[in-house]
Amino acid sequence: MIREKISLSIHEMTVVAMMVAIIAILGAVPGIPLGFIPVPIVLQNMGIMIAGELLGPRLGTIAVWLFLFLVVLGLPLLSGGRGGMVTILGPTGGYIFAWLFVPLLIGLSLKLSWHYGMTQGVTEFLIIWLWGVIFVEGVGAIWLANQLHTTFISALASNILFVFGDTIKALIAVSITRRLRHIKVFLLRR
Amino acid sequence: MNSKIVFGSYVPVKSILHRLDPRIKLIMCIIYVILIFFVNNFLAAIWLLLALLAAIKLSNVGLRQYWQGIKPLFLIILITVAFQILFSSGGKMYWHWGIMAITRDGLINSLIIFYRFIVIITASTVLTATTQTFQIADALAWLMKPLQIIKVPVNQITLMLSIALRFVPTIMDETNKIMKAQRARGINFNAGNLLTRIKHLVPILIPLFVNSFKRAEELATAMEARGYDPNAPRTHYRQLVWHKNDAWASLALLIVTVGLVCIRIFF
């Protein structure tokens, strides 16, 4: 019998693997302290946004799922050296759970906007902001409220501090990705 | 940045646990974590704790290493426990103020949560401290074989994991080099206001991505030149061999599981 061809090419696999490694390394980069907010800007979730933007909905999702697979196994790949199942089961697990869907939502939304001719950076930023910031904070707040027995509104309020930093990360992600797309090395061959 | 941040888990000492087949260690860790959620009384908790202490003893890894696993998550644990104490209801109320109240059920639940978190973290640390990452990848490949029946591309998943794990130290070193090169060109990463610091990220991230994707392309070409076919069955250079000690480990796991079941039934 003829074996069914699996979809990923070798080049796609190596690109996904590099993206997983980069997301892990962004977690090891020390955060940038904001003077007026107690939470520093940590770059790891920017890697999640870039995965969706750069690799598209399919490869980006595979990269993030593989990364979180390693985290669940106990490797300390999350920012601050965290890892293991407690990071998923604890109060901040909602954010990490939302990461599973961010590249898919970003990638599909970008394809849709390009289809309708909206190729400006502002459109791209709004898509990244909607799915990479608002969606993640929303899902994280729901889980946080459930775990800490508080209301969704107060959990959302506690997230306001992070939205500012995440917005900056979305800006950086759009800026970097729009430059990277012009480089030939990012054309995936099959 | 320190490369050990990412792969500081493995502790290269000799012990019984280090020599076990990584498959049985991975299975033991997974089943142990599942058993934790079946703990419903004090005796069961003690039983699983004794099993964990035995594993810690056999691993020959210092207690400091286990604290290193707990420390990054300790704040999260404390916050969860505090909220559990203050906002739960049920049982005798000892103290209250506004919507906050300390009740007996709240205290019991917070104790359970604390116990579960600490034990799960420590069990994961036992696994990662006694098993190298490529061994974990091999064990995963073996555990995921049944998924091939439902057309999951197991070979490709394990290949991507292996490549990712292999290149984390390389890309880490490269990030350090890029930062040093940019410093030599006058960028100060620790100074300036917020906007300046944000701008300084771009000269790090763009070369990082370009170099990594170039490496991905070169790697793909090299793999093709070596005759790799993603769809073909493959042989393995690193063979996982089952020894007598692994059988003893399976027996120990069975004893722990049966013991827990008995405790749940009879108490």
Side-chain angles (χ1 to χ4, degrees):
Chain A
M1 92 187 219
I2 300 177
R3 285 180 57 89
E4 182 179 329
K5 276 291 184 177
I6 302 177
S7 51
L8 289 191
S9 70
I10 300 178
H11 188 207
E12 283 172 332
M13 281 195 285
T14 55
V15 164
V16 166
M18 293 300 166
M19 192 70 231
V20 173
I22 290 174
I23 296 174
I25 283 157
L26 289 178
V29 175
I32 300 175
L34 300 167
F36 48 92
I37 293 184
V39 293
I41 292 183
V42 175
L43 300 181
Q44 191 149 59
N45 61 331
M46 185 176 72
I48 308 295
M49 301 174 194
I50 294 181
E53 264 193 290
L54 209 53
L55 303 190
R58 195 168 59 110
L59 298 184
T61 301
I62 294 174
V64 171
W65 282 53
L66 289 181
F67 172 73
L68 293 180
F69 188 42
L70 292 175
V71 167
V72 168
L73 283 181
L75 295 186
L77 301 180
L78 290 181
S79 54
R82 294 175 292 137
M85 272 168 275
V86 166
T87 54
I88 309 294
L89 302 171
T92 56
Y95 306 97
I96 297 172
F97 177 75
W99 287 1
L100 292 171
F101 306 100
V102 166
L104 187 68
L105 296 166
I106 288 179
L108 291 180
S109 300
L110 282 180
K111 286 192 173 184
L112 196 65
S113 68
W114 293 339
H115 177 71
Y116 285 107
M118 293 184 288
T119 56
Q120 312 96 318
V122 173
T123 305
E124 196 166 332
F125 168 75
L126 287 179
I127 290 171
I128 305 303
W129 195 72
L130 173 62
W131 299 120
V133 180
I134 302 301
F135 172 76
V136 171
E137 299 294 344
V139 174
I142 294 173
W143 181 255
L144 191 70
N146 172 265
Q147 285 282 302
L148 300 186
H149 306 284
T150 181
T151 63
F152 177 67
I153 299 299
S154 60
L156 263 187
S158 68
N159 280 340
I160 297 300
L161 292 178
F162 296 94
V163 170
F164 182 78
D166 285 353
T167 301
I168 293 178
K169 277 174 261 185
L171 277 170
I172 300 173
V174 172
S175 167
I176 289 174
T177 309
R178 287 178 70 84
R179 297 197 207 187
L180 293 175
R181 281 203 195 99
H182 298 304
I183 303 177
K184 182 181 72 67
V185 75
F186 290 93
L187 299 178
L188 286 169
R189 67 171 195 266
R190 299 197 53 93
Chain B
M1 293 190 305
N2 191 346
S3 293
K4 293 196 171 188
I5 289 176
V6 178
F7 285 108
S9 290
Y10 183 69
V11 181
V13 299
K14 296 184 189 300
S15 78
I16 295 176
L17 282 199
H18 279 76
R19 292 192 298 271
L20 281 185
D21 191 304
R23 290 171 292 184
I24 187 59
K25 278 188 279 190
L26 190 56
I27 292 175
M28 284 200 292
C29 187
I30 292 173
I31 292 183
Y32 185 81
V33 169
I34 293 172
L35 292 184
I36 289 290
F37 291 98
F38 285 89
V39 169
N40 63 348
N41 59 44
F42 189 66
L43 265 180
I46 292 293
W47 175 246
L48 286 196
L49 195 59
L50 285 178
L52 182 63
L53 290 178
I56 292 176
K57 180 65 178 176
L58 289 176
S59 69
N60 276 352
V61 172
L63 290 184
R64 179 196 303 272
Q65 187 72 18
Y66 293 105
W67 171 243
Q68 291 294 327
I70 295 173
K71 189 171 67 177
L73 293 157
F74 206 64
L75 185 60
I76 292 180
I77 297 172
L78 287 188
I79 289 174
T80 309
V81 168
F83 270 80
Q84 193 74 31
I85 292 177
L86 292 177
F87 293 100
S88 292
S89 59
K92 177 181 168 54
M93 179 180 291
Y94 301 109
W95 171 87
H96 75 92
W97 181 80
I99 60 176
M100 294 184 291
I102 299 181
T103 62
R104 182 172 158 276
D105 282 3
L107 288 173
I108 292 176
N109 285 335
S110 59
L111 206 59
I112 291 174
I113 288 175
F114 185 80
Y115 166 85
R116 281 182 178 163
F117 276 178
I118 298 293
V119 168
I120 290 175
I121 294 170
T122 307
S124 293
T125 306
V126 172
L127 173 67
T128 54
T130 61
T131 316
Q132 300 196 54
T133 49
F134 66 86
Q135 287 177 316
I136 295 180
D138 288 344
L140 281 174
W142 183 81
L143 278 183
M144 286 196 291
K145 273 184 180 174
L147 295 181
Q148 287 178 319
I149 301 175
I150 55 173
K151 294 297 196 298
V152 174
V154 172
N155 281 339
Q156 300 199 348
I157 290 174
T158 55
L159 179 74
M160 286 186 275
L161 290 177
S162 297
I163 296 176
L165 293 174
R166 153 68 180 84
F167 277 96
V168 167
T170 302
I171 299 182
M172 182 79 70
D173 289 343
E174 189 160 318
T175 307
N176 282 324
K177 283 181 190 170
I178 294 171
M179 292 180 79
K180 286 171 184 170
Q182 301 293 12
R183 269 198 205 98
R185 294 189 171 98
I187 293 185
N188 189 341
F189 293 112
N190 298 319
N193 57 28
L194 174 64
L195 195 58
T196 304
R197 290 178 188 239
I198 297 300
K199 283 182 189 171
H200 289 164
L201 280 178
V202 176
I204 302 174
L205 292 174
I206 290 189
L208 179 64
F209 274 95
V210 174
N211 288 342
S212 300
F213 278 58
K214 277 183 184 175
R215 181 176 291 106
E217 190 170 6
E218 289 164 2
L219 180 61
T221 304
M223 289 169 67
E224 288 177 19
R226 282 167 173 75
Y228 178 77
D229 180 352
N231 302 303
R234 54 178 304 196
T235 59
H236 293 273
Y237 174 73
R238 290 194 299 256
Q239 301 287 339
L240 297 176
V241 182
W242 192 264
H243 293 106
K244 184 166 53 178
N245 280 345
D246 303 310
W248 286 118
S250 306
L251 183 61
L253 178 63
L254 186 64
I255 290 174
V256 172
T257 307
V258 171
L260 181 68
V261 171
C262 290
I263 292 175
R264 277 195 57 117
I265 293 177
F266 295 113
F267 294 95

